Amino acid sequence: MKDLSDSCSFVAKTSAILILAAGASTRLGFPKQLFKIDGETLLHRVACRASDSRATKVLVVLGHQADAMVRELRDLQNVRTIHNPEWQNGMGTSIRAGVRELASSDAILISVCDQPHLTTAIFNELIKKLPDSPTGIVCSRYLSPDSSSDSLPTFHSPLSTPYGVPAIFASQHFPALLALPQDAGAKTLITANDVEFIDFPLGAVDIDTADDLKKL
């Protein structure tokens, strides 16, 4: 663990949100991006909340049924999309495509589109906390605070509790994101570093199968 006294003074003047939405949802049987909750698709839901955040840019990486996804986002003028021609090779290819497109940003917040409880407040909290991170990474902790010790530190290795996206990375980590294997996600970097985190217990709720939909 790193000495917290060495905390950096990094401030992201431009923070972009990168939404990964290229997959085909093979386990579910249809694109999860188009599943509707209260009349709104998951893709539109997360993109809208990202657009309402303090981020300066929002980019959605598309792949499977890209045209249908673009139509879902056409009313969100502050949201851009790109198509990842390598999307079938894994999430790492979409991360690389997005990071290349957003390389001029000071920080990139990586999100998926199948966490139905994701809110604008979560995005803003991650962005706001980045300057507190000595290593330039702030992620989400899914473990409920009620189930952990009151003495649990706010800065420690993510190997002992569930950590993941959404997570924000300062620009010093862009080369590592670009070097991710094709089938790897952002959690590869999260588990390799000491990280700051925010509590997002409902981040553990995501949609991969039909059974997941029944639990909503």
Side-chain angles (χ1 to χ4, degrees):
M1 184 181 297
K2 299 184 185 302
D3 186 349
L4 294 183
S5 65
D6 293 333
S7 178
C8 67
S9 57
F10 177 84
V11 177
K13 295 181 180 179
T14 57
S15 298
I17 294 180
L18 171 60
I19 299 172
L20 306 176
S25 311
T26 53
R27 283 187 288 171
L28 185 60
F30 63 90
K32 68 178 75 176
Q33 300 94 317
L34 302 180
F35 177 74
K36 290 187 177 182
I37 296 178
D38 297 329
E40 184 180 29
T41 63
L42 285 172
L43 178 59
H44 189 278
R45 188 182 183 91
V46 67
C48 183
R49 283 146 184 76
S51 180
D52 287 341
S53 76
R54 60 193 295 174
T56 52
K57 299 177 183 177
V58 178
L59 179 71
V60 182
V61 180
L62 302 175
H64 182 66
Q65 294 192 17
D67 290 343
M69 308 300 171
V70 169
R71 287 194 294 271
E72 279 299 311
L73 300 172
R74 58 191 172 191
D75 66 312
L76 301 176
Q77 298 181 355
N78 296 327
V79 175
R80 293 177 50 235
T81 63
I82 60 169
H83 180 262
N84 172 23
E86 299 181 274
W87 67 269
Q88 289 177 297
N89 293 328
M91 185 179 293
T93 66
S94 289
I95 291 175
R96 293 202 298 262
V99 172
R100 284 195 294 265
E101 191 75 13
L102 298 170
S104 62
S105 302
D106 294 317
I108 296 176
L109 192 162
I110 297 178
S111 177
V112 291
C113 66
D114 65 347
Q115 291 174 307
H117 299 290
L118 191 53
T119 64
T120 297
I122 293 294
F123 287 137
N124 285 341
E125 191 174 354
L126 287 164
I127 295 169
K128 183 179 179 180
K129 195 161 187 176
L130 184 59
D132 297 332
S133 173
T135 54
I137 299 175
V138 184
C139 67
S140 298
R141 184 177 73 163
Y142 308 145
L143 182 69
S144 171
D146 294 337
S147 62
S148 61
S149 169
D150 291 338
S151 62
L152 193 67
T154 60
F155 180 90
H156 60 91
S157 170
L159 297 178
S160 59
T161 52
Y163 286 69
V165 295
I168 189 168
F169 300 85
S171 57
Q172 69 216 50
H173 296 287
F174 292 1
L177 290 169
L178 289 170
L180 285 173
Q182 290 187 146
D183 59 349
K187 196 168 185 177
T188 301
L189 290 187
I190 293 171
T191 55
N193 291 274
D194 284 330
V195 295
E196 281 283 342
F197 66 83
I198 65 167
D199 279 313
F200 179 28
L202 289 176
V205 180
D206 61 7
I207 297 172
D208 289 314
T209 67
D211 285 340
D212 294 333
L213 294 180
K214 295 175 183 178
K215 296 175 184 177
L216 292 179

